[in-house]
């Protein structure tokens, strides 16, 4: 199960870098050749540009002949391995191997199978998969390449997945009755990772099962002290629940569980509702609601069936992104609805969720707004609050600013009657997002209010959004290094919360960082893979736009034109008016400029003009590309309307200053200078020089 099945090349990165051909070790050459092969392996199946390979070898200061030297090294590398493995693909090279040729890919596949088995209540199967996954590790991932930024980041990602797999394996051990044999391992792990509450809960469970109640309570005291000292927070409800069980001599702690996590309460429905409504923990809630739904279906418990189906919908709309999982959710919602009295409160809530799911994917909002009106007329504040939040999520396009603001304000008011903390959190969160999307100068005050609310008690899903907005603000300030670190940490939080947007948002933030660094071309291979990701929203077309701009920036006109054609379809106006509508059009404007495509630029200008006063934001304000006046000015430059270009770009400078978006200010000034020089009117050359000097002065504050 854990061996390589390719029969040809086998690449080992989970420890010292190894290359085997037909089972025999192969020396591929010196450190630089090994580095190039490792970088290609990390992006196996995706093109890595020649400049990106050069940066892997020499950092940000490559020699003058770097591109030629990289190609020479690649030629030598092909001679060391099968030449068919390394293919030339503009603008660089791609390693053409089966996914299972890489031990890290086999590890991720086995770990995912183990987690699925764990969630399905099959801990024995999970243990086999997880043990196989962990057995592939021979050291630290990409351990000899710490000086290569991309490989260091990939190694850190794999190490985190390894840590998660260890915890999953321990859950599987506990679920099959293992306890005392785990204590020494868990003592070492909690010492190494004192902030990981799941490990402390596992240690307390193992100690209690070993008859060491006092030690289990002491473990909780140590965990609580460490959390308060390091972060000023109390233990999570899950860890506190284990503490209460130990104090109460709860026999449930001694039971061999068939569930996915050995430390959650036996009542899966209560555990799911607590995880969702109190903690914003989407991953745990989905696992628990799935268990509760299956049990209720077998027992014929209609009420529990309906509540579990509702819980599976989650906090957001369209959390179940793949066609299969989306269809399964709707089937369960309808199945539960068919078994309820149509007048029952739960039936109304099920209809609300179904309307939201259907409207979101269709890009409409008629159904959810009609359901919302019925909840307003009713006397169920919980149903009313859920309808408001779901409706808000279906109205994230730039046309809906005023309506969204009313919905968010109403939700905050209704939360006082619903009695659910999650409704207040979502109301404040939506108000915060709305203010940023509208370019409101007081948006950061609202973010502070959200922070205060989350400081009182964590809510993982809302905290993920708040942290993502802070990454956006760091990009606006030109603190690129801080923003990139924050984006990675934010993605980790999103994955921990079980948010399907974790990868997509990280990609959007990386696009913004590289765009303002002038390095967007580096991301062509990444974007080529991301735009096909099943975790992206069905209404998100922004990655086609990002790939088009990145490829055009790298000089790959064919890829750029293809991506732009996929984005435009028969008519750009048919793009869904979603939360990525404006940034998709911004990408179309920039690509049209780089490709001298006046026809596309004209259509972009028509579509963007009504939204000139808005900032171009992605999703829930998690990435900002500056004032919409900038792409309008760029489109005018492309069509040759120089007076309009100057006017729009002058407005872009002003609006970006108001946003404190310094990288966008610099870009706007430079393109304004270009427009002025091309127009060549009286005083335009002097004005252009003034804009360029100001842009250079402002650019000096940025951190790479």
């Amino acid at each position: 199960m854990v061996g390589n099945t390719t029969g040809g090349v086998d690449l080992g990165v989970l420890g010292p870098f190894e290359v085997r051909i037909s089972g025999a070790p192969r020396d591929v050459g010196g450190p630089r050749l090994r580095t190039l092969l490792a970088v290609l392996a990390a992006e196996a199946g995706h093109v890595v540009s020649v400049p990106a390979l050069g940066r892997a070898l020499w950092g940000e200061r490559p020699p003058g002949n770097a591109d030629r030297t990289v190609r020479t090294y690649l030629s030598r590398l092909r001679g060391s391995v099968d030449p068919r493995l390394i293919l030339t693909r503009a603008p660089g090279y791609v390693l053409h191997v089966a996914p299972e040729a890489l031990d890290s890919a086999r590890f991720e596949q086995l770990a995912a199978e183990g987690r699925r088995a764990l969630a399905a209540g099959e801990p024995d199967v999970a243990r086999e998969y997880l043990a196989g996954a962990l057995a592939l590790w021979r050291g630290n991932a990409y351990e000899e390449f710490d000086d290569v930024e991309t490989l260091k980041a990939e190694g850190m990602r794999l190490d985190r997945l390894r840590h998660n797999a260890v915890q999953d394996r321990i859950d599987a051990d506990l679920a099959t009755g293992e306890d005392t044999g785990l204590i020494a391992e868990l003592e070492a792990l909690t010492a190494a990772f004192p902030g990981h509450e799941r490990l402390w809960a596992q240690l307390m469970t193992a100690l209690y099962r070993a008859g060491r109640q006092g030690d289990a309570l002491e473990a909780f005291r140590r965990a609580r002290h460490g959390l308060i000292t390091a972060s000023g927070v109390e233990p999570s409800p899950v860890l506190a629940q284990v503490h209460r069980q130990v104090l109460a001599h709860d026999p449930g702690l001694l039971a061999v569980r068939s569930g996915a996590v050995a430390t959650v309460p036996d009542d899966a429905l209560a555990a799911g509702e607590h995880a969702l409504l109190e903690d914003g923990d989407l991953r745990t809630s989905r696992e628990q609601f799935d268990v509760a739904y299956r049990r209720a279906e077998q027992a014929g418990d209609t009420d529990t069936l309906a509540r579990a189906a509702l819980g599976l919908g989650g906090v957001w709309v369209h959390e179940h992104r793949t066609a299969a999982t989306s269809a399964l959710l709707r089937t369960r919602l309808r199945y539960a609805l068919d078994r309820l009295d149509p007048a029952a409160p739960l039936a109304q809530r099920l209809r609300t969720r179904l309307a939201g799911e259907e409207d979101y994917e269709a890009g409409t909002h008629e159904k959810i707004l009609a359901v919302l009106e019925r909840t307003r007329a009713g006397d169920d504040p919980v149903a009313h609050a859920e309808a408001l939040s779901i409706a808000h999520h279906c109205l994230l396009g730039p046309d809906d600013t005023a309506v969204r603001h009313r919905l968010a304000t109403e939700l905050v008011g209704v939360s006082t009657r619903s009695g659910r903390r999650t409704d207040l959190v979502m109301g404040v969160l939506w108000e915060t997002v709305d203010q940023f999307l509208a370019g409101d100068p007081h948006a950061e005050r609202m973010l502070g209010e959200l922070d205060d609310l989350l400081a009182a008690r964590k809510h993982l899903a809302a905290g993920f959004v708040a942290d993502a907005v802070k990454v956006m603000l760091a990009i606006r300030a030109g603190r690129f290094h801080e923003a990139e670190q924050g984006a990675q940490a934010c993605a980790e939080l999103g994955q921990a919360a079980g948010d399907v947007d974790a990868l997509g948002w990280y990609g959007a933030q990386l696009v913004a960082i590289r765009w303002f660094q002038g390095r967007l071309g580096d991301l062509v291979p990444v974007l080529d893979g991301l735009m096909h990701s099943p975790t992206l929203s069905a209404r998100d077309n922004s990655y086609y736009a990002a790939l088009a701009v990145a490829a055009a920036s790298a000089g790959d006109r064919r890829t750029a034109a293809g991506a732009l054609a996929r984005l435009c379809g028969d008519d750009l106006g048919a793009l869904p008016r979603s939360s990525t509508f404006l940034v998709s059009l911004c990408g179309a404007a920039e690509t049209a400029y780089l490709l001298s495509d006046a026809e596309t630029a004209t259509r972009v200008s028509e579509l963007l003009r009504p939204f000139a006063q808005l900032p171009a934001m992605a999703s829930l304000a998690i990435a900002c590309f500056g004032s919409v006046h900038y792409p309008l000015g760029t489109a005018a430059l492309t069509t040759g309307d120089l007076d309009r270009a100057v006017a729009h770009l002058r407005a872009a400078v002003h609006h970006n200053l108001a946003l404190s978006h310094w990288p966008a200010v610099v870009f706007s000034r430079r393109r304004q200078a270009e427009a002025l020089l091309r127009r060549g009117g009286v005083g335009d050359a002097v004005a252009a020089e003034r804009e360029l000097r100001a842009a250079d002065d402002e650019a000096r504050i940025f951190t790479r």
Side-chain angles (χ1 to χ4, degrees):
M1 181 176 66
V2 302
N4 179 20
T5 61
T6 64
V9 64
D10 187 1
L11 302 173
V13 301
L14 303 180
F17 187 54
E18 289 185 345
V19 181
R20 292 179 178 272
I21 306 293
S22 299
R26 178 68 56 89
D27 182 1
V28 298
R32 288 184 174 172
L33 296 185
R34 291 169 66 81
T35 297
L36 288 175
L37 184 56
V39 171
L40 291 171
E43 296 287 348
H46 299 286
V47 178
V48 184
S49 70
V50 171
L53 290 168
R55 277 192 295 277
L57 294 180
W58 298 289
E60 296 299 328
R61 295 184 177 179
N65 61 345
D67 287 3
R68 185 175 62 194
T69 304
V70 166
R71 291 187 172 92
T72 300
Y73 285 156
L74 263 297
S75 178
R76 290 168 56 188
L77 192 55
R78 280 170 162 161
S80 301
V81 296
D82 188 335
R84 294 170 298 177
L85 296 179
I86 302 174
L87 306 180
T88 303
R89 292 287 186 271
Y93 297 85
V94 60
L95 184 66
H96 183 63
V97 293
E100 61 268 24
L102 202 62
D103 60 356
S104 59
R106 301 199 299 276
F107 159 73
E108 290 194 61
Q109 177 62 32
L110 290 168
E113 292 292 345
R115 184 167 185 82
R116 278 193 284 271
L118 201 54
E122 301 173 343
D124 287 318
V125 175
R127 288 177 77 182
E128 183 179 356
Y129 277 121
L130 292 163
L134 294 168
L136 292 171
W137 286 76
R138 300 167 288 107
N140 295 323
Y142 294 100
E143 62 181 17
E144 71 181 80
F145 305 106
D146 270 356
D147 57 340
V148 181
E149 181 182 353
T150 56
L151 296 182
K152 184 177 181 180
E154 176 65 3
M156 291 171 63
R157 184 186 72 85
L158 290 168
D159 283 338
R160 285 189 292 273
L161 292 179
R162 178 190 193 181
H163 186 59
N164 291 339
V166 168
Q167 293 177 80
D168 287 341
R169 194 222 76 226
I170 292 171
D171 274 338
D173 288 341
L174 288 169
T176 52
E178 179 65 47
D179 40 62
T180 54
L182 295 172
I183 292 174
E185 180 182 8
L186 284 164
E187 288 281 11
L189 286 169
T190 51
F193 305 98
H196 288 236
E197 294 181 67
R198 184 180 177 192
L199 291 170
W200 287 106
Q202 291 170 330
L203 174 59
M204 290 171 64
T205 301
L207 287 168
Y208 184 78
R209 289 185 182 182
R212 296 168 58 181
Q213 182 190 24
D215 289 338
L217 294 173
E218 172 59 20
F220 178 80
R221 187 199 66 76
R222 285 188 283 135
R224 180 175 181 272
H225 176 76
L227 289 167
I228 292 173
T229 301
S231 308
V233 297
E234 289 284 345
S236 71
V238 170
L239 187 56
Q241 169 70 11
V242 178
H243 181 232
R244 287 192 294 272
Q245 288 179 286
V246 171
L247 288 171
H249 296 278
D250 186 345
L253 276 182
L254 296 174
V256 176
R257 315 237 177 121
S258 60
V261 180
T263 57
V264 299
D266 285 336
D267 188 340
L269 180 66
E273 290 182 338
H274 192 285
L276 182 68
L277 302 176
E278 296 297 327
D279 302 334
D281 184 344
L282 308 179
R283 183 189 303 280
T284 300
S285 69
R286 278 194 290 265
E287 292 172 353
Q288 295 304 314
F289 283 130
D290 183 67
V291 172
Y293 184 93
R294 293 175 188 277
R295 290 176 180 170
E297 189 177 23
Q298 292 174 352
D301 183 346
T302 302
D303 185 78
T304 298
L305 188 80
R307 288 167 63 188
L310 276 171
L312 283 166
V315 169
W316 317 111
V317 181
H318 196 44
E319 285 188 20
H320 301 263
R321 291 285 167 80
T322 66
T325 55
S326 179
L328 178 60
L329 173 66
R330 293 184 192 180
T331 298
R332 287 176 163 182
L333 289 167
R334 293 190 184 103
Y335 181 81
L337 182 59
D338 289 344
R339 278 148 185 77
L340 287 173
D341 179 347
L346 277 174
Q348 178 63 71
R349 293 169 63 191
L350 287 165
R351 286 191 290 270
T352 299
R353 171 56 70 172
L354 274 167
E357 296 291 336
E358 291 167 2
D359 267 352
Y360 185 90
E361 285 204 43
T364 58
H365 46 255
E366 288 77 15
K367 291 179 182 177
I368 187 60
L369 290 181
V371 170
L372 173 58
E373 282 303 315
R374 290 195 287 273
T375 65
R376 283 188 175 122
D379 59 357
D380 184 350
V382 169
H384 187 186
E386 287 178 349
L388 285 166
S389 189
I390 290 172
H392 190 289
H393 203 170
C394 291
L395 290 160
L396 287 177
D399 309 274
D400 308 314
T401 302
V403 178
R404 281 201 310 271
H405 175 69
R406 291 196 295 271
L407 294 177
T409 302
E410 186 179 353
L411 178 55
V412 172
V414 171
S415 70
T416 62
R417 294 191 294 113
S418 74
R420 303 194 313 178
R421 176 176 177 268
T422 194
D423 297 329
L424 175 61
V425 170
M426 292 305 297
V428 175
L429 172 64
W430 286 133
E431 283 196 313
T432 303
V433 168
D434 289 342
Q435 289 192 12
F436 277 108
L437 293 179
D440 191 310
H442 303 305
E444 289 186 58
R445 296 183 189 176
M446 200 69 212
L447 179 60
E449 185 174 333
L450 177 61
D451 281 340
D452 289 343
L453 189 59
L454 296 178
R457 183 167 184 174
K458 287 189 298 186
H459 187 286
L460 290 178
F464 172 48
V465 180
D467 282 4
V469 172
K470 290 168 190 171
V471 172
M472 180 272 293
L473 291 174
I475 298 172
R476 278 186 179 181
R479 300 193 301 270
F480 296 135
H481 181 67
E482 174 190 328
E484 191 160 348
Q485 289 185 320
Q488 186 169 346
C490 187
E492 293 169 10
L493 175 60
Q495 289 177 326
D499 198 305
V500 289
D501 279 319
L503 177 62
W505 285 10
Y506 175 70
Q509 291 168 338
L510 202 57
V511 165
I513 293 166
R514 293 291 183 264
W515 165 245
F516 289 116
Q517 287 178 323
R519 295 172 48 196
L520 189 57
D522 296 357
L523 296 183
V524 169
V526 175
L527 293 170
D528 189 42
L530 267 177
M531 70 180 186
H532 302 300
S533 170
T535 65
L536 293 180
S537 166
R539 299 173 64 192
D540 184 359
N541 293 281
S542 62
Y543 277 99
Y544 292 117
L547 176 62
V549 181
S553 300
D556 184 356
R557 296 176 66 87
R558 185 173 67 173
T559 298
L564 182 61
R566 295 180 76 167
L567 175 69
C568 294
D570 293 331
D571 177 22
L572 260 176
L575 280 181
R577 295 299 176 94
S578 69
S579 60
T580 59
F581 177 73
L582 291 182
V583 295
S584 296
L585 290 181
C586 289
E590 190 67 22
T591 307
Y593 166 79
L594 293 170
L595 299 181
S596 301
D597 182 350
E599 182 180 353
T600 297
T602 299
R603 185 62 174 133
V604 169
S605 185
E606 293 169 356
L607 294 169
L608 278 180
R609 204 169 292 131
F611 311 112
Q613 304 306 309
L614 294 176
M617 293 271 201
S619 195
L620 305 190
I622 57 93
C624 179
F625 294 85
S627 169
V628 168
H629 278 291
Y630 180 83
L632 281 167
T634 297
L637 264 181
T638 307
T639 61
D641 189 344
L642 299 178
D643 287 338
R644 178 170 287 179
V646 169
H648 276 305
L649 291 165
R650 183 182 297 119
V653 172
H654 173 74
H655 284 208
N656 287 326
L657 283 167
L659 291 170
S660 295
H661 197 324
W662 299 107
V665 170
V666 170
F667 271 43
S668 301
R669 289 195 191 280
R670 288 175 176 163
R671 194 145 289 174
Q672 166 77 335
E674 179 186 347
L676 288 165
L677 289 172
R678 285 175 59 177
R679 187 173 69 173
V682 176
D684 281 351
V686 174
E689 180 62 27
R690 184 169 59 248
E691 292 295 334
L692 288 173
R693 283 199 305 271
D696 290 343
D697 288 342
E698 286 155 352
R700 291 190 185 99
I701 69 170
F702 298 168
T703 58
R704 297 283 171 181

